[in-house]
Amino acid sequence: MSDASLKPAMKVFEQRKRLIVVQVTAVVAIVLLLFTKPFLGEGSDGHEFVETLGVGFVLVCFIGRLWSTLYVGGKKNAELISAGPFSVTQNPLYFFSTVGATGVGLMYGSVLAAAGLGLASFVVFRVTARKEAEFLLDKFGPAYSAYTERTPLFWPNPLLYNDQVERQFSTRTLKRTFRDGLYFLALFPIIELAEHLRNTGMLPVFFTLY
C-alpha cells in the first residue's frame, strides 16, 4: 500500500477515534444524569457554584471551537496553521473539547465526574494529537518542526499569541462545528430536567458522586 493511500486511511481512523470519544462521553453523562446524584445538595450554594462554573466551561468550549474553526476550517492537514489559537497551542480544538467535557461534569455538580470526563478526553485527544503530529511532520518538514519547538502540544501558552490581519475560512466547516457544539449546550436543559425528576422521586438514585 502506498503512502498516498495510507494518509487518507489514517485521517479516517483519527476521525473515528474522535467520534468514539464523543459517544463514550455522552453515554457516561447520561448514566450520571439518570442513576446518580451529586454529593452537593441540589439548590445549595456549593452546587450552584459548581454548576455555574461548569456552564462557563461549556461556553468556553463552544466559543473556543468556533474561534479555532475560523482558522483551520477546511484546511486541517492541508496547510500549516500557526496564527490565532494555533499560536498558543498546536491543538486548540482538542483543548477546548477537553474543557467542555470537564464542564459537563461540573454542570452535573460533581468534581469527580468533571475530573473523570476531563481526564478521559485529555488522554485520548493527546494520543490522537501525537499521532497527527507524525503525519504533519512528514508533510511539512522543517517548518512544522520549528512550529512545534515554539508551540505547546496541548496546554496553551497565552504569551505566545500572534495573529493575522485577515483570514479566510470555510463557512460549511464553521456551520458543522456550530452544530456539533449544540450537543454541549443541549445538556443545559437536560441536566435541569434530570434534577427535577430526581427531586420528585421519578428517577431512581443508585449512588452519590462527589
Side-chain angles (χ1 to χ4, degrees):
M1 184 179 292
S2 66
D3 290 341
S5 61
L6 282 172
K7 290 177 181 178
M10 187 186 77
K11 184 176 181 180
V12 171
F13 177 67
E14 301 299 346
Q15 293 284 356
R16 287 177 178 173
K17 287 203 296 186
R18 289 195 289 272
L19 180 60
I20 290 173
V21 171
V22 174
Q23 292 172 338
V24 170
T25 301
V27 170
V28 171
I30 290 171
V31 171
L32 292 175
L33 283 171
L34 296 180
F35 304 113
T36 68
K37 69 175 182 178
F39 173 73
L40 294 171
E42 294 166 353
S44 66
D45 291 341
H47 179 86
E48 293 301 317
F49 172 77
V50 172
E51 187 178 55
T52 301
L53 188 63
V55 171
F57 274 43
V58 170
L59 290 177
V60 167
C61 164
F62 183 72
I63 296 171
R65 284 180 55 83
L66 289 177
W67 179 40
S68 301
T69 301
L70 290 175
Y71 288 80
V72 76
K75 302 181 180 69
K76 188 171 185 180
N77 297 338
E79 178 182 334
L80 181 58
I81 311 297
S82 59
F86 290 87
S87 66
V88 297
T89 171
Q90 297 173 41
N91 295 279
L93 285 164
Y94 294 165
F95 169 75
F96 286 119
S97 294
T98 300
V99 170
T102 304
V104 170
L106 291 174
M107 284 170 54
Y108 171 75
S110 169
V111 175
L112 182 60
L117 292 172
L119 181 61
S121 297
F122 169 74
V123 169
V124 174
F125 284 136
R126 187 174 174 85
V127 170
T128 303
R130 289 191 178 279
K131 293 292 184 181
E132 289 183 345
E134 297 175 3
F135 168 77
L136 294 172
L137 178 61
D138 180 63
K139 183 176 181 65
F140 296 110
Y144 183 73
S145 294
Y147 170 64
T148 58
E149 288 177 3
R150 67 177 184 270
T151 311
L153 177 67
F154 193 84
W155 299 110
N157 181 356
L159 298 178
L160 299 176
Y161 183 79
N162 66 78
D163 209 343
Q164 298 172 322
V165 176
E166 295 181 354
R167 184 74 193 176
Q168 293 182 336
F169 64 91
S170 167
T171 56
R172 182 172 61 180
T173 305
L174 184 64
K175 290 177 182 177
R176 184 170 63 246
T177 302
F178 178 84
R179 186 174 61 249
D180 292 343
L182 293 179
Y183 289 110
F184 283 101
L185 299 181
L187 288 172
F188 293 175
I190 293 175
I191 287 177
E192 292 301 319
L193 176 61
E195 289 181 356
H196 172 72
L197 294 177
R198 278 198 301 270
N199 291 334
T200 57
M202 297 180 67
L203 277 180
V205 176
F206 296 133
F207 57 91
T208 299
L209 280 179
Y210 288 84

